[in-house]
Amino acid sequence: MFWTFIAVTVCYYTLNLSLGGPIVNYCQFPCSKKVQHTICELKHNCEVSSRCKRFTNLPLTEQEKQEVIDTHNTLRNRIALGIGCRSIDGKLYPKAAAMRELVWDDELEFQAQCWANQCLLQHDRCRRKYDGQYIGQNLAWTAEESLTTTLHRFFDECVNLSVARINRYIYNKKFKTGHFTQFIWWNTSQIGCARAHYVRPNHTYTRVFLGCNYAHQGNIVGLEIYPRGEPCSQCPVGTKCHKKYRGLCTTKPSTSDVPYICRFAANKSRCVPYLSLRGGVSLLDETAVVGERHLHELPFLKAGKVKNAWEETLYFLWSIYFIFTVCKEVKINNRYQYY
């Protein structure tokens, strides 16, 4: 069984590196001396918390991810063109000289899923990407409704904001506007969301949790929500006016990959290398299941031993086949399911 062990080991670590992206220690990205990154505080283990009751992951399909992007860009575009919403003053919001198109980002989705797995309807204290960017966040805990409906609830806070606040963001608990202002923050260009179904602590009924992370972070006190002016007149260098969304400046597709965090986990035996959006199954478990099926396909292995050098050679060649076959099968099956 020596070669089987080697094959499984190589396959496992190959998958960790190829699917998991860069090896990241999030403790290197604190928000202050006293506030560590959320994933660092979770000891680099994003498994479902013991506080969660009747927890079910509800992974966003590729179509639903596109729905999130399209809904954001459509509503951001309307604001940028000056036709989006009337403020608390009864006035239409002014046109935006620069407002970025949003694109999907896998790392933002990964961090959103880590937090969704904690079953806490509150913002985590410190969110940063491994390139150093700070992350904004919108959360909702609702009855089962469409993604578009939930996202519109964020945007509908536009009726609570004064047009004068566009020039300088001010946090005010009295007026619920934070979801809207993050939604339209001008230089936010990436988004990643996670969804789950669970019972909140001290509650008896289930709801759907939706958490969306944004980069760059919005809602920064003292900064403008967006610059006023003719749409696309102040697009950042390297961007241009979008062909479809005529009020937005283009954004290149995100190159951030889902990080591998288990190297820094306090309890490596419990670390889930990739959060399975099917319920937290690790790649090692998946590889073992697929590998065991292939293992029993070889006739002489059923006897439990290798009899001679010829069979040992066959065993070696089969082990190479095992690595490529199993790794390929696991990778294809889980391309959009492990985070």
Side-chain angles (χ1 to χ4, degrees):
M1 292 299 179
F2 172 75
W3 287 110
T4 303
F5 171 77
I6 294 297
V8 172
T9 302
V10 172
C11 182
Y12 175 58
Y13 283 102
T14 299
L15 281 165
N16 279 345
L17 294 175
S18 64
L19 286 180
I23 298 172
V24 177
N25 180 0
Y26 279 105
C27 294
Q28 295 178 347
F29 302 98
C31 290
S32 69
K33 290 183 178 180
K34 295 183 178 180
V35 181
Q36 284 287 351
H37 194 288
T38 294
I39 295 178
C40 179
E41 290 187 340
L42 293 173
K43 302 185 186 302
H44 287 86
N45 191 349
C46 293
E47 66 180 347
V48 177
S49 170
S50 59
R51 74 171 63 88
C52 298
K53 297 179 181 179
R54 304 209 301 270
F55 183 94
T56 305
N57 269 320
L58 301 174
L60 296 183
T61 64
E62 294 304 304
Q63 182 178 355
E64 287 176 321
K65 291 178 184 180
Q66 192 61 50
E67 181 182 348
V68 169
I69 294 170
D70 291 344
T71 301
H72 275 82
N73 284 333
T74 297
L75 295 175
R76 285 167 66 87
N77 187 57
R78 289 179 62 82
I79 290 292
L81 295 175
I83 58 175
C85 178
R86 290 194 179 274
S87 68
I88 197 171
D89 314 310
K91 303 175 183 177
L92 284 171
Y93 282 92
K95 297 177 181 179
M99 188 174 292
R100 300 292 299 278
E101 168 199 13
L102 292 193
V103 298
W104 193 264
D105 182 89
D106 288 338
E107 187 193 0
L108 293 178
E109 179 189 6
F110 164 75
Q111 292 198 34
Q113 186 66 53
C114 280
W115 190 240
N117 285 5
Q118 307 314 305
C119 296
L120 294 172
L121 188 59
Q122 62 192 50
H123 295 288
D124 47 334
R125 297 194 302 164
C126 179
R127 301 173 302 277
R128 293 179 68 183
K129 296 184 66 178
Y130 56 73
D131 65 4
Q133 285 188 70
Y134 286 86
I135 298 171
Q137 189 177 72
N138 278 338
L139 305 178
W141 195 60
T142 68
E144 296 189 23
E145 59 186 14
S146 70
L147 280 170
T148 299
T149 299
T150 301
L151 296 174
H152 270 272
R153 292 185 189 279
F154 294 155
F155 182 83
D156 288 346
E157 292 178 359
C158 62
V159 298
N160 300 327
L161 187 69
S162 169
V163 167
R165 298 303 184 199
I166 294 297
N167 296 335
R168 185 169 179 267
Y169 176 76
I170 297 176
Y171 175 72
N172 190 332
K173 277 188 176 181
K174 183 179 179 181
F175 300 104
K176 295 183 178 180
T177 60
H179 297 100
F180 169 66
T181 50
Q182 173 60 82
F183 200 105
I184 66 164
W185 199 267
W186 80 272
N187 70 339
T188 296
S189 59
Q190 299 173 343
I191 186 172
C193 305
R195 184 178 55 185
H197 190 271
Y198 61 82
V199 179
R200 283 175 64 190
N202 302 320
H203 290 71
T204 58
Y205 50 89
T206 59
R207 285 287 189 272
V208 175
F209 171 90
L210 178 69
C212 289
N213 285 341
Y214 301 81
H216 296 283
Q217 174 187 359
N219 294 358
I220 301 175
V221 174
L223 297 186
E224 62 183 354
I225 297 173
Y226 63 80
R228 303 186 189 210
E230 283 302 307
C232 297
S233 61
Q234 296 180 30
C235 282
V237 176
T239 71
K240 59 184 179 181
C241 210
H242 200 283
K243 291 182 179 180
K244 178 180 179 181
Y245 302 109
R246 302 301 299 174
L248 303 183
C249 305
T250 55
T251 298
K252 294 180 180 179
S254 172
T255 58
S256 293
D257 206 347
V258 179
Y260 176 69
I261 61 174
C262 285
R263 174 176 292 186
F264 307 101
N267 188 343
K268 292 181 174 59
S269 64
R270 293 182 58 83
C271 184
V272 181
Y274 307 90
L275 294 177
S276 170
L277 299 185
R278 296 180 303 179
V281 180
S282 72
L283 277 178
L284 182 57
D285 295 331
E286 186 80 7
T287 304
V289 171
V290 177
E292 185 177 4
R293 184 173 70 249
H294 286 284
L295 192 65
H296 292 292
E297 291 175 358
L298 208 61
F300 66 78
L301 290 181
K302 293 180 180 179
K305 60 181 180 179
V306 178
K307 296 179 179 179
N308 52 47
W310 169 245
E311 288 189 353
E312 186 173 351
T313 301
L314 286 178
Y315 201 174
F316 172 76
L317 294 175
W318 176 82
S319 297
I320 300 299
Y321 163 80
F322 175 92
I323 292 174
F324 288 102
T325 302
V326 176
C327 288
K328 181 179 179 181
E329 183 171 340
V330 175
K331 185 171 183 177
I332 290 174
N333 288 345
N334 298 282
R335 183 170 298 162
Y336 299 113
Q337 295 167 337
Y338 284 97
Y339 293 87

